[in-house]
Amino acid sequence: MKKVGIIGVGEYLPKKILTNADLEKMVDTSDEWITTRTGIKERRIASSQEATSDLATNAAKEALKDARLKPQDLDLIIIATITPDMQFPSTACLVQANLGAKNAVCFDISAACAGFVYAIIVAQQFIARGTYKNALVVGTEVLSSITDWEDRSTCVLFGDGAGAAVLSEVKSGGILSTYFGSDGSMANLLMMPAGGSRNPTTHKTIDKRLHYIKMEGNEIFKSAVKIMVDTAQIALKQAGLKCSDVDLVIPHQANVRIIMAMAKRLGLPSDRVFLNIEKYGNMSSASTATALCEAVKVGRIKKGDIILLDAFGAGLVWGACLIKW
Ligand code: ACO
């Protein structure tokens, strides 16, 4: 088996910023409530010209440049998203066409907020076995397109963005261990009920606002901390490492209270946890992806550091990836 590592990262955030003050004018909420309950101050919103594949393409171009590869060098493109441009074709095929990555096999993964970690784990299998050489994975979302802007319990949480990584064989370091899991018995806690084969789009489904994110936030909160802690511990155990060996955790950015409770239970000081939730809110699969990219860009990740990606989301699904940078 070959060693697999991340050789380039990139991100793209739409220009439009929606602040908590802006939301105060849209629904019955306050900056104080949003900040103390979630840690979010503002989020990005895609323009009407920008779809999920456009965000992904921009992030991918930056990651390819960082990896010093050309689009034609890619053998595999995996896009993690719950807001594809359309039901089909896959957003991965649209990104392939945008990039001119004509040698790549392309498909999407639907694993909500854990999607980027899922995509890394899947890509790693192909490279480790020598099936493919270079893979592009992107976490990309336009969650604003499925957010109910009249529902204060969800609309304050989400934002749009994309983060990308290029995976390839590396001589040293790379991915040390991975772990992922799922529990479909909790699928009802977080979903978009209509628009699929269960509830095809009708005037009725639109009138009932079923094409938006529906979430039992409280119920998810109860499971989230335990899931993230267990997931981290399993990945660490598989690599024969302890939490104290980790230089930086890149957690899914759903709620700063979930992240800090996880850090406390793992015995991690807060300066070893990377946050970007304040600027972007929860961008589902794009959260861990952009956080990884930004941690690299600001010098929080250096060669030889041990990094832990740890995410959970709708499904429920969860996943962790331990990497020596
Ligand atoms: N502004 C003001 N008040 C609000 C708002 C708001 N935006 N939203 C809810 N409230 C009110 C509620 O109506 C409730 O009022 P009541 O007590 O009079 O009934 C009160 O605030 C408390 O509401 P809770 O839902 O209990 O608030 P909580 O502290 O649980 O925070 C939150 C809600 C932020 C959603 C939290 O539960 C959470 O973060 N859950 C996890 C979300 C998550 O991790 N999702 C998974 C990933 S997303 C994905 O996979 C796509």
Side-chain angles (χ1 to χ4, degrees):
M1 295 289 246
K2 297 173 194 301
K3 282 188 177 145
V4 182
I6 291 175
I7 62 162
V9 289
E11 67 174 348
Y12 175 77
L13 284 314
K15 289 201 172 43
K16 185 180 170 190
I17 295 174
L18 186 73
T19 65
N20 291 350
D22 296 328
L23 282 164
E24 284 175 354
K25 294 178 203 134
M26 294 162 64
V27 287
D28 180 15
T29 191
S30 66
D31 172 49
E32 201 266 334
W33 192 95
I34 303 170
T35 307
T36 54
R37 297 292 180 117
T38 71
I40 301 165
K41 280 288 188 190
E42 55 189 45
R43 66 289 291 144
R44 299 299 177 96
I45 304 293
S47 77
S48 56
Q49 309 302 313
E50 289 176 314
T52 296
S53 65
D54 301 316
L55 274 56
T57 303
N58 290 332
K61 283 180 180 166
E62 197 176 275
L64 282 169
K65 197 172 166 203
D66 192 37
R68 296 194 181 86
L69 290 183
K70 293 195 249 341
Q72 307 90 278
D73 298 326
L74 292 172
D75 312 295
L76 174 65
I77 298 177
I78 306 178
I79 302 287
T81 188
I82 52 166
T83 49
D85 285 28
M86 50 195 95
Q87 288 265 17
F88 66 89
S90 71
T91 301
C93 282
L94 304 176
V95 172
Q96 175 193 31
N98 289 347
L99 293 173
K102 57 182 178 10
N103 300 315
V105 61
C106 307
F107 57 89
D108 290 358
I109 281 184
S110 174
C113 307
F116 183 64
V117 176
Y118 265 54
I120 288 177
I121 296 172
V122 173
Q124 182 209 7
Q125 312 304 311
F126 289 109
I127 300 169
R129 281 171 176 76
T131 314
Y132 298 126
K133 203 159 173 276
N134 302 310
L136 170 73
V137 304
V138 190
T140 178
E141 304 287 1
V142 179
L143 290 179
S144 60
S145 66
I146 58 165
T147 297
D148 185 345
W149 294 104
E150 292 180 12
D151 175 10
R152 69 173 183 173
S153 72
T154 53
C155 76
V156 301
L157 303 172
F158 301 110
D160 304 336
V166 177
L167 279 76
S168 200
E169 187 184 351
V170 289
K171 293 210 167 54
S172 60
I175 295 172
L176 303 175
S177 70
T178 59
Y179 165 69
F180 58 173
S182 318
D183 182 357
S185 71
M186 289 194 271
N188 60 316
L189 296 183
L190 181 50
M191 61 165 68
M192 189 176 92
S197 58
R198 176 70 60 194
N199 295 304
T201 309
T202 60
H203 286 292
K204 208 166 149 191
T205 61
I206 294 170
D207 291 345
K208 288 168 114 178
R209 308 184 79 77
L210 297 180
H211 297 267
Y212 295 124
I213 299 169
K214 307 286 178 197
M215 182 169 78
E216 303 285 334
N218 254 316
E219 288 306 309
I220 292 188
F221 199 103
K222 282 181 206 159
S223 310
V225 179
K226 183 174 173 356
I227 288 175
M228 288 191 88
V229 170
D230 291 351
T231 304
Q233 281 171 340
I234 293 169
L236 283 163
K237 195 173 170 203
Q238 279 178 13
L241 294 177
K242 297 186 296 297
C243 220
S244 52
D245 297 317
V246 176
D247 295 292
L248 193 65
V249 176
I250 312 271
H252 173 50
Q253 315 276 318
N255 187 316
V256 81
R257 290 187 293 145
I258 293 174
I259 296 171
M260 287 311 158
M262 171 208 70
K264 197 173 167 198
R265 282 206 207 164
L266 287 171
L268 273 168
S270 55
D271 64 350
R272 277 200 267 146
V273 180
F274 193 83
L275 297 175
N276 66 5
I277 187 170
E278 187 179 343
K279 295 188 288 180
Y280 306 135
N282 178 352
M283 300 183 289
S284 192
S285 67
S287 277
T288 38
T290 58
L292 175 67
C293 177
E294 294 189 355
V296 173
K297 277 186 182 170
V298 300
R300 288 282 301 276
I301 300 179
K302 292 179 287 301
K303 195 164 171 47
D305 280 357
I306 304 285
I307 309 304
L308 177 69
L309 296 174
D310 190 354
F312 74 98
L316 297 182
V317 292
W318 54 86
C321 182
L322 200 60
I323 307 168
K324 184 164 186 182
W325 204 254

